[in-house]
Amino acid sequence: MTQKRLLRPERLRQVPPHFSWLDHRLVREHRFAHCDTPALALYLILVTVADAQGLSYYSTASLARLTHLTPEQVGSARQQLIAADLIAFDQPLYQVLDLDSESTTQRTNQTRSAGELLRQLLAAGGAQ
């Protein structure tokens, strides 16, 4: 079995104070499954330039220059990332989304549904 070792210990990566690295769940959970190479390039740029809240406001022209894509390709890549629930976009603002947002939304909806069910049960019990 291969032993892991730092190849260049002097270059050990540190978590930047302003954000963090790409989440390994992007690969493990196949979050990029329906994204092509331009979408992956756009995601990398957006993660890199985003602030601690995942926000950035680079123009399409700037993103096209940074990714070596046409503005049309940036638009297509953006749509793929939105469809994959990885970013939100309200021109000119981008937000790189937390990967847990989908499961959090599902849990919130389940909790609300359980609360509604409990209210219904209590209301039905009070009517007797």
Side-chain angles (χ1 to χ4, degrees):
M1 186 160 124
T2 303
Q3 293 284 329
K4 287 186 181 180
R5 63 180 172 81
L6 294 174
L7 301 177
R8 294 187 59 191
E10 76 280 6
R11 295 287 305 272
L12 177 65
R13 254 179 112 180
Q14 303 294 319
V15 176
H18 51 80
F19 202 55
S20 64
W21 299 322
L22 293 173
D23 192 316
H24 60 89
R25 292 176 297 165
L26 290 165
V27 174
R28 192 178 69 219
E29 295 174 3
H30 309 286
R31 300 295 293 263
F32 288 136
H34 300 292
C35 297
D36 60 15
T37 302
L40 299 177
L42 179 59
Y43 188 78
L44 178 61
I45 294 295
L46 292 173
V47 168
T48 303
V49 301
D51 66 11
Q53 295 177 314
L55 301 172
S56 62
Y57 51 90
Y58 276 58
S59 70
T60 299
S62 293
L63 292 169
R65 272 193 313 280
L66 289 168
T67 56
H68 303 283
L69 300 172
T70 67
E72 293 77 22
Q73 289 172 311
V74 170
S76 176
R78 179 176 50 235
Q79 288 307 109
Q80 288 178 41
L81 295 174
I82 291 168
D85 201 31
L86 296 172
I87 67 166
F89 177 69
D90 186 10
Q91 192 169 2
L93 191 61
Y94 286 87
Q95 180 182 353
V96 177
L97 300 175
D98 182 71
L99 295 184
D100 289 332
S101 63
E102 183 179 334
S103 60
T104 301
T105 301
Q106 289 172 352
R107 283 193 306 268
T108 301
N109 289 340
Q110 290 172 352
T111 302
R112 186 172 51 237
S113 296
E116 289 171 6
L117 179 60
L118 183 58
R119 279 192 294 281
Q120 289 174 343
L121 289 171
L122 290 173
Q128 292 178 359

mmCIF file with all atom_site columns, all heavy atoms in Angstrom, residues 101-120:
data_model
loop_
_atom_site.group_PDB
_atom_site.id
_atom_site.type_symbol
_atom_site.label_atom_id
_atom_site.label_alt_id
_atom_site.label_comp_id
_atom_site.label_asym_id
_atom_site.label_entity_id
_atom_site.label_seq_id
_atom_site.pdbx_PDB_ins_code
_atom_site.Cartn_x
_atom_site.Cartn_y
_atom_site.Cartn_z
_atom_site.occupancy
_atom_site.B_iso_or_equiv
_atom_site.pdbx_formal_charge
_atom_site.auth_seq_id
_atom_site.auth_comp_id
_atom_site.auth_asym_id
_atom_site.auth_atom_id
_atom_site.pdbx_PDB_model_num
ATOM 1   N N   . SER A 1 101 ? -26.983 22.798 0.936  1.00 0.00 ? 101 SER A N   1
ATOM 2   C CA  . SER A 1 101 ? -28.225 23.555 0.826  1.00 0.00 ? 101 SER A CA  1
ATOM 3   C C   . SER A 1 101 ? -29.400 22.683 0.417  1.00 0.00 ? 101 SER A C   1
ATOM 4   O O   . SER A 1 101 ? -30.498 22.833 0.919  1.00 0.00 ? 101 SER A O   1
ATOM 5   C CB  . SER A 1 101 ? -28.065 24.719 -0.148 1.00 0.00 ? 101 SER A CB  1
ATOM 6   O OG  . SER A 1 101 ? -27.789 24.244 -1.450 1.00 0.00 ? 101 SER A OG  1
ATOM 7   N N   . GLU A 1 102 ? -29.168 21.724 -0.483 1.00 0.00 ? 102 GLU A N   1
ATOM 8   C CA  . GLU A 1 102 ? -30.262 20.860 -0.931 1.00 0.00 ? 102 GLU A CA  1
ATOM 9   C C   . GLU A 1 102 ? -30.771 19.997 0.216  1.00 0.00 ? 102 GLU A C   1
ATOM 10  O O   . GLU A 1 102 ? -31.965 19.923 0.471  1.00 0.00 ? 102 GLU A O   1
ATOM 11  C CB  . GLU A 1 102 ? -29.812 19.981 -2.096 1.00 0.00 ? 102 GLU A CB  1
ATOM 12  C CG  . GLU A 1 102 ? -30.929 19.112 -2.650 1.00 0.00 ? 102 GLU A CG  1
ATOM 13  C CD  . GLU A 1 102 ? -30.461 18.279 -3.827 1.00 0.00 ? 102 GLU A CD  1
ATOM 14  O OE1 . GLU A 1 102 ? -29.514 18.667 -4.515 1.00 0.00 ? 102 GLU A OE1 1
ATOM 15  O OE2 . GLU A 1 102 ? -31.071 17.222 -4.060 1.00 0.00 ? 102 GLU A OE2 1
ATOM 16  N N   . SER A 1 103 ? -29.858 19.367 0.943  1.00 0.00 ? 103 SER A N   1
ATOM 17  C CA  . SER A 1 103 ? -30.289 18.508 2.037  1.00 0.00 ? 103 SER A CA  1
ATOM 18  C C   . SER A 1 103 ? -30.874 19.337 3.171  1.00 0.00 ? 103 SER A C   1
ATOM 19  O O   . SER A 1 103 ? -31.813 18.917 3.834  1.00 0.00 ? 103 SER A O   1
ATOM 20  C CB  . SER A 1 103 ? -29.133 17.646 2.546  1.00 0.00 ? 103 SER A CB  1
ATOM 21  O OG  . SER A 1 103 ? -28.081 18.463 3.004  1.00 0.00 ? 103 SER A OG  1
ATOM 22  N N   . THR A 1 104 ? -30.365 20.554 3.395  1.00 0.00 ? 104 THR A N   1
ATOM 23  C CA  . THR A 1 104 ? -30.917 21.428 4.418  1.00 0.00 ? 104 THR A CA  1
ATOM 24  C C   . THR A 1 104 ? -32.343 21.803 4.055  1.00 0.00 ? 104 THR A C   1
ATOM 25  O O   . THR A 1 104 ? -33.234 21.785 4.898  1.00 0.00 ? 104 THR A O   1
ATOM 26  C CB  . THR A 1 104 ? -30.044 22.701 4.569  1.00 0.00 ? 104 THR A CB  1
ATOM 27  O OG1 . THR A 1 104 ? -28.741 22.294 4.922  1.00 0.00 ? 104 THR A OG1 1
ATOM 28  C CG2 . THR A 1 104 ? -30.615 23.641 5.607  1.00 0.00 ? 104 THR A CG2 1
ATOM 29  N N   . THR A 1 105 ? -32.560 22.123 2.786  1.00 0.00 ? 105 THR A N   1
ATOM 30  C CA  . THR A 1 105 ? -33.901 22.468 2.341  1.00 0.00 ? 105 THR A CA  1
ATOM 31  C C   . THR A 1 105 ? -34.842 21.290 2.535  1.00 0.00 ? 105 THR A C   1
ATOM 32  O O   . THR A 1 105 ? -35.960 21.452 3.008  1.00 0.00 ? 105 THR A O   1
ATOM 33  C CB  . THR A 1 105 ? -33.878 22.882 0.846  1.00 0.00 ? 105 THR A CB  1
ATOM 34  O OG1 . THR A 1 105 ? -33.010 24.001 0.716  1.00 0.00 ? 105 THR A OG1 1
ATOM 35  C CG2 . THR A 1 105 ? -35.264 23.230 0.349  1.00 0.00 ? 105 THR A CG2 1
ATOM 36  N N   . GLN A 1 106 ? -34.373 20.095 2.193  1.00 0.00 ? 106 GLN A N   1
ATOM 37  C CA  . GLN A 1 106 ? -35.223 18.921 2.365  1.00 0.00 ? 106 GLN A CA  1
ATOM 38  C C   . GLN A 1 106 ? -35.544 18.697 3.832  1.00 0.00 ? 106 GLN A C   1
ATOM 39  O O   . GLN A 1 106 ? -36.681 18.422 4.190  1.00 0.00 ? 106 GLN A O   1
ATOM 40  C CB  . GLN A 1 106 ? -34.539 17.682 1.789  1.00 0.00 ? 106 GLN A CB  1
ATOM 41  C CG  . GLN A 1 106 ? -34.471 17.698 0.277  1.00 0.00 ? 106 GLN A CG  1
ATOM 42  C CD  . GLN A 1 106 ? -33.626 16.562 -0.268 1.00 0.00 ? 106 GLN A CD  1
ATOM 43  O OE1 . GLN A 1 106 ? -32.968 15.837 0.471  1.00 0.00 ? 106 GLN A OE1 1
ATOM 44  N NE2 . GLN A 1 106 ? -33.638 16.416 -1.583 1.00 0.00 ? 106 GLN A NE2 1
ATOM 45  N N   . ARG A 1 107 ? -34.557 18.844 4.726  1.00 0.00 ? 107 ARG A N   1
ATOM 46  C CA  . ARG A 1 107 ? -34.801 18.659 6.154  1.00 0.00 ? 107 ARG A CA  1
ATOM 47  C C   . ARG A 1 107 ? -35.777 19.705 6.670  1.00 0.00 ? 107 ARG A C   1
ATOM 48  O O   . ARG A 1 107 ? -36.657 19.416 7.451  1.00 0.00 ? 107 ARG A O   1
ATOM 49  C CB  . ARG A 1 107 ? -33.489 18.725 6.938  1.00 0.00 ? 107 ARG A CB  1
ATOM 50  C CG  . ARG A 1 107 ? -32.654 17.481 6.845  1.00 0.00 ? 107 ARG A CG  1
ATOM 51  C CD  . ARG A 1 107 ? -31.551 17.470 7.882  1.00 0.00 ? 107 ARG A CD  1
ATOM 52  N NE  . ARG A 1 107 ? -30.716 18.644 7.845  1.00 0.00 ? 107 ARG A NE  1
ATOM 53  C CZ  . ARG A 1 107 ? -29.586 18.752 7.148  1.00 0.00 ? 107 ARG A CZ  1
ATOM 54  N NH1 . ARG A 1 107 ? -29.158 17.746 6.429  1.00 0.00 ? 107 ARG A NH1 1
ATOM 55  N NH2 . ARG A 1 107 ? -28.883 19.855 7.179  1.00 0.00 ? 107 ARG A NH2 1
ATOM 56  N N   . THR A 1 108 ? -35.616 20.956 6.217  1.00 0.00 ? 108 THR A N   1
ATOM 57  C CA  . THR A 1 108 ? -36.506 22.031 6.654  1.00 0.00 ? 108 THR A CA  1
ATOM 58  C C   . THR A 1 108 ? -37.927 21.728 6.217  1.00 0.00 ? 108 THR A C   1
ATOM 59  O O   . THR A 1 108 ? -38.871 21.867 6.988  1.00 0.00 ? 108 THR A O   1
ATOM 60  C CB  . THR A 1 108 ? -36.048 23.384 6.078  1.00 0.00 ? 108 THR A CB  1
ATOM 61  O OG1 . THR A 1 108 ? -34.724 23.613 6.517  1.00 0.00 ? 108 THR A OG1 1
ATOM 62  C CG2 . THR A 1 108 ? -36.949 24.505 6.519  1.00 0.00 ? 108 THR A CG2 1
ATOM 63  N N   . ASN A 1 109 ? -38.090 21.294 4.980  1.00 0.00 ? 109 ASN A N   1
ATOM 64  C CA  . ASN A 1 109 ? -39.429 20.963 4.498  1.00 0.00 ? 109 ASN A CA  1
ATOM 65  C C   . ASN A 1 109 ? -40.011 19.798 5.271  1.00 0.00 ? 109 ASN A C   1
ATOM 66  O O   . ASN A 1 109 ? -41.195 19.773 5.576  1.00 0.00 ? 109 ASN A O   1
ATOM 67  C CB  . ASN A 1 109 ? -39.403 20.644 2.993  1.00 0.00 ? 109 ASN A CB  1
ATOM 68  C CG  . ASN A 1 109 ? -39.167 21.895 2.163  1.00 0.00 ? 109 ASN A CG  1
ATOM 69  O OD1 . ASN A 1 109 ? -39.375 23.009 2.626  1.00 0.00 ? 109 ASN A OD1 1
ATOM 70  N ND2 . ASN A 1 109 ? -38.715 21.704 0.943  1.00 0.00 ? 109 ASN A ND2 1
ATOM 71  N N   . GLN A 1 110 ? -39.196 18.801 5.594  1.00 0.00 ? 110 GLN A N   1
ATOM 72  C CA  . GLN A 1 110 ? -39.687 17.665 6.362  1.00 0.00 ? 110 GLN A CA  1
ATOM 73  C C   . GLN A 1 110 ? -40.091 18.105 7.756  1.00 0.00 ? 110 GLN A C   1
ATOM 74  O O   . GLN A 1 110 ? -41.103 17.678 8.278  1.00 0.00 ? 110 GLN A O   1
ATOM 75  C CB  . GLN A 1 110 ? -38.621 16.575 6.438  1.00 0.00 ? 110 GLN A CB  1
ATOM 76  C CG  . GLN A 1 110 ? -38.394 15.883 5.112  1.00 0.00 ? 110 GLN A CG  1
ATOM 77  C CD  . GLN A 1 110 ? -37.200 14.953 5.152  1.00 0.00 ? 110 GLN A CD  1
ATOM 78  O OE1 . GLN A 1 110 ? -36.446 14.928 6.116  1.00 0.00 ? 110 GLN A OE1 1
ATOM 79  N NE2 . GLN A 1 110 ? -37.016 14.203 4.082  1.00 0.00 ? 110 GLN A NE2 1
ATOM 80  N N   . THR A 1 111 ? -39.321 18.969 8.375  1.00 0.00 ? 111 THR A N   1
ATOM 81  C CA  . THR A 1 111 ? -39.645 19.456 9.712  1.00 0.00 ? 111 THR A CA  1
ATOM 82  C C   . THR A 1 111 ? -40.941 20.237 9.676  1.00 0.00 ? 111 THR A C   1
ATOM 83  O O   . THR A 1 111 ? -41.806 20.057 10.522 1.00 0.00 ? 111 THR A O   1
ATOM 84  C CB  . THR A 1 111 ? -38.497 20.338 10.255 1.00 0.00 ? 111 THR A CB  1
ATOM 85  O OG1 . THR A 1 111 ? -37.313 19.560 10.264 1.00 0.00 ? 111 THR A OG1 1
ATOM 86  C CG2 . THR A 1 111 ? -38.805 20.844 11.645 1.00 0.00 ? 111 THR A CG2 1
ATOM 87  N N   . ARG A 1 112 ? -41.096 21.087 8.711  1.00 0.00 ? 112 ARG A N   1
ATOM 88  C CA  . ARG A 1 112 ? -42.322 21.875 8.597  1.00 0.00 ? 112 ARG A CA  1
ATOM 89  C C   . ARG A 1 112 ? -43.506 20.943 8.378  1.00 0.00 ? 112 ARG A C   1
ATOM 90  O O   . ARG A 1 112 ? -44.543 21.096 8.981  1.00 0.00 ? 112 ARG A O   1
ATOM 91  C CB  . ARG A 1 112 ? -42.196 22.892 7.462  1.00 0.00 ? 112 ARG A CB  1
ATOM 92  C CG  . ARG A 1 112 ? -43.383 23.824 7.413  1.00 0.00 ? 112 ARG A CG  1
ATOM 93  C CD  . ARG A 1 112 ? -43.227 24.965 6.436  1.00 0.00 ? 112 ARG A CD  1
ATOM 94  N NE  . ARG A 1 112 ? -42.846 24.513 5.121  1.00 0.00 ? 112 ARG A NE  1
ATOM 95  C CZ  . ARG A 1 112 ? -41.757 24.924 4.469  1.00 0.00 ? 112 ARG A CZ  1
ATOM 96  N NH1 . ARG A 1 112 ? -40.964 25.791 4.992  1.00 0.00 ? 112 ARG A NH1 1
ATOM 97  N NH2 . ARG A 1 112 ? -41.479 24.472 3.268  1.00 0.00 ? 112 ARG A NH2 1
ATOM 98  N N   . SER A 1 113 ? -43.344 19.948 7.546  1.00 0.00 ? 113 SER A N   1
ATOM 99  C CA  . SER A 1 113 ? -44.427 18.997 7.303  1.00 0.00 ? 113 SER A CA  1
ATOM 100 C C   . SER A 1 113 ? -44.784 18.246 8.575  1.00 0.00 ? 113 SER A C   1
ATOM 101 O O   . SER A 1 113 ? -45.953 18.022 8.854  1.00 0.00 ? 113 SER A O   1
ATOM 102 C CB  . SER A 1 113 ? -44.028 18.005 6.202  1.00 0.00 ? 113 SER A CB  1
ATOM 103 O OG  . SER A 1 113 ? -43.848 18.682 4.989  1.00 0.00 ? 113 SER A OG  1
ATOM 104 N N   . ALA A 1 114 ? -43.763 17.859 9.360  1.00 0.00 ? 114 ALA A N   1
ATOM 105 C CA  . ALA A 1 114 ? -44.025 17.176 10.621 1.00 0.00 ? 114 ALA A CA  1
ATOM 106 C C   . ALA A 1 114 ? -44.760 18.107 11.579 1.00 0.00 ? 114 ALA A C   1
ATOM 107 O O   . ALA A 1 114 ? -45.678 17.692 12.291 1.00 0.00 ? 114 ALA A O   1
ATOM 108 C CB  . ALA A 1 114 ? -42.721 16.685 11.239 1.00 0.00 ? 114 ALA A CB  1
ATOM 109 N N   . GLY A 1 115 ? -44.368 19.381 11.610 1.00 0.00 ? 115 GLY A N   1
ATOM 110 C CA  . GLY A 1 115 ? -45.042 20.365 12.455 1.00 0.00 ? 115 GLY A CA  1
ATOM 111 C C   . GLY A 1 115 ? -46.488 20.542 12.051 1.00 0.00 ? 115 GLY A C   1
ATOM 112 O O   . GLY A 1 115 ? -47.382 20.622 12.906 1.00 0.00 ? 115 GLY A O   1
ATOM 113 N N   . GLU A 1 116 ? -46.714 20.619 10.750 1.00 0.00 ? 116 GLU A N   1
ATOM 114 C CA  . GLU A 1 116 ? -48.089 20.745 10.270 1.00 0.00 ? 116 GLU A CA  1
ATOM 115 C C   . GLU A 1 116 ? -48.906 19.509 10.640 1.00 0.00 ? 116 GLU A C   1
ATOM 116 O O   . GLU A 1 116 ? -50.057 19.611 11.045 1.00 0.00 ? 116 GLU A O   1
ATOM 117 C CB  . GLU A 1 116 ? -48.091 20.961 8.752  1.00 0.00 ? 116 GLU A CB  1
ATOM 118 C CG  . GLU A 1 116 ? -47.580 22.326 8.350  1.00 0.00 ? 116 GLU A CG  1
ATOM 119 C CD  . GLU A 1 116 ? -47.388 22.468 6.859  1.00 0.00 ? 116 GLU A CD  1
ATOM 120 O OE1 . GLU A 1 116 ? -47.748 21.539 6.100  1.00 0.00 ? 116 GLU A OE1 1
ATOM 121 O OE2 . GLU A 1 116 ? -46.873 23.519 6.451  1.00 0.00 ? 116 GLU A OE2 1
ATOM 122 N N   . LEU A 1 117 ? -48.294 18.329 10.517 1.00 0.00 ? 117 LEU A N   1
ATOM 123 C CA  . LEU A 1 117 ? -48.964 17.096 10.887 1.00 0.00 ? 117 LEU A CA  1
ATOM 124 C C   . LEU A 1 117 ? -49.312 17.092 12.366 1.00 0.00 ? 117 LEU A C   1
ATOM 125 O O   . LEU A 1 117 ? -50.428 16.731 12.751 1.00 0.00 ? 117 LEU A O   1
ATOM 126 C CB  . LEU A 1 117 ? -48.082 15.886 10.539 1.00 0.00 ? 117 LEU A CB  1
ATOM 127 C CG  . LEU A 1 117 ? -48.637 14.509 10.892 1.00 0.00 ? 117 LEU A CG  1
ATOM 128 C CD1 . LEU A 1 117 ? -49.957 14.263 10.178 1.00 0.00 ? 117 LEU A CD1 1
ATOM 129 C CD2 . LEU A 1 117 ? -47.638 13.441 10.553 1.00 0.00 ? 117 LEU A CD2 1
ATOM 130 N N   . LEU A 1 118 ? -48.368 17.534 13.206 1.00 0.00 ? 118 LEU A N   1
ATOM 131 C CA  . LEU A 1 118 ? -48.612 17.581 14.643 1.00 0.00 ? 118 LEU A CA  1
ATOM 132 C C   . LEU A 1 118 ? -49.755 18.542 14.956 1.00 0.00 ? 118 LEU A C   1
ATOM 133 O O   . LEU A 1 118 ? -50.634 18.218 15.765 1.00 0.00 ? 118 LEU A O   1
ATOM 134 C CB  . LEU A 1 118 ? -47.331 18.008 15.380 1.00 0.00 ? 118 LEU A CB  1
ATOM 135 C CG  . LEU A 1 118 ? -47.409 18.041 16.898 1.00 0.00 ? 118 LEU A CG  1
ATOM 136 C CD1 . LEU A 1 118 ? -47.805 16.675 17.450 1.00 0.00 ? 118 LEU A CD1 1
ATOM 137 C CD2 . LEU A 1 118 ? -46.084 18.477 17.485 1.00 0.00 ? 118 LEU A CD2 1
ATOM 138 N N   . ARG A 1 119 ? -49.776 19.700 14.320 1.00 0.00 ? 119 ARG A N   1
ATOM 139 C CA  . ARG A 1 119 ? -50.877 20.648 14.542 1.00 0.00 ? 119 ARG A CA  1
ATOM 140 C C   . ARG A 1 119 ? -52.209 20.040 14.131 1.00 0.00 ? 119 ARG A C   1
ATOM 141 O O   . ARG A 1 119 ? -53.215 20.204 14.812 1.00 0.00 ? 119 ARG A O   1
ATOM 142 C CB  . ARG A 1 119 ? -50.616 21.940 13.772 1.00 0.00 ? 119 ARG A CB  1
ATOM 143 C CG  . ARG A 1 119 ? -49.659 22.880 14.480 1.00 0.00 ? 119 ARG A CG  1
ATOM 144 C CD  . ARG A 1 119 ? -49.639 24.261 13.846 1.00 0.00 ? 119 ARG A CD  1
ATOM 145 N NE  . ARG A 1 119 ? -49.107 24.277 12.489 1.00 0.00 ? 119 ARG A NE  1
ATOM 146 C CZ  . ARG A 1 119 ? -47.807 24.242 12.200 1.00 0.00 ? 119 ARG A CZ  1
ATOM 147 N NH1 . ARG A 1 119 ? -46.914 24.196 13.166 1.00 0.00 ? 119 ARG A NH1 1
ATOM 148 N NH2 . ARG A 1 119 ? -47.400 24.273 10.961 1.00 0.00 ? 119 ARG A NH2 1
ATOM 149 N N   . GLN A 1 120 ? -52.201 19.325 13.009 1.00 0.00 ? 120 GLN A N   1
ATOM 150 C CA  . GLN A 1 120 ? -53.428 18.676 12.552 1.00 0.00 ? 120 GLN A CA  1
ATOM 151 C C   . GLN A 1 120 ? -53.895 17.632 13.555 1.00 0.00 ? 120 GLN A C   1
ATOM 152 O O   . GLN A 1 120 ? -55.083 17.537 13.867 1.00 0.00 ? 120 GLN A O   1
ATOM 153 C CB  . GLN A 1 120 ? -53.226 18.023 11.181 1.00 0.00 ? 120 GLN A CB  1
ATOM 154 C CG  . GLN A 1 120 ? -53.098 19.024 10.043 1.00 0.00 ? 120 GLN A CG  1
ATOM 155 C CD  . GLN A 1 120 ? -52.757 18.337 8.735  1.00 0.00 ? 120 GLN A CD  1
ATOM 156 O OE1 . GLN A 1 120 ? -52.312 17.198 8.705  1.00 0.00 ? 120 GLN A OE1 1
ATOM 157 N NE2 . GLN A 1 120 ? -52.949 19.039 7.632  1.00 0.00 ? 120 GLN A NE2 1
#
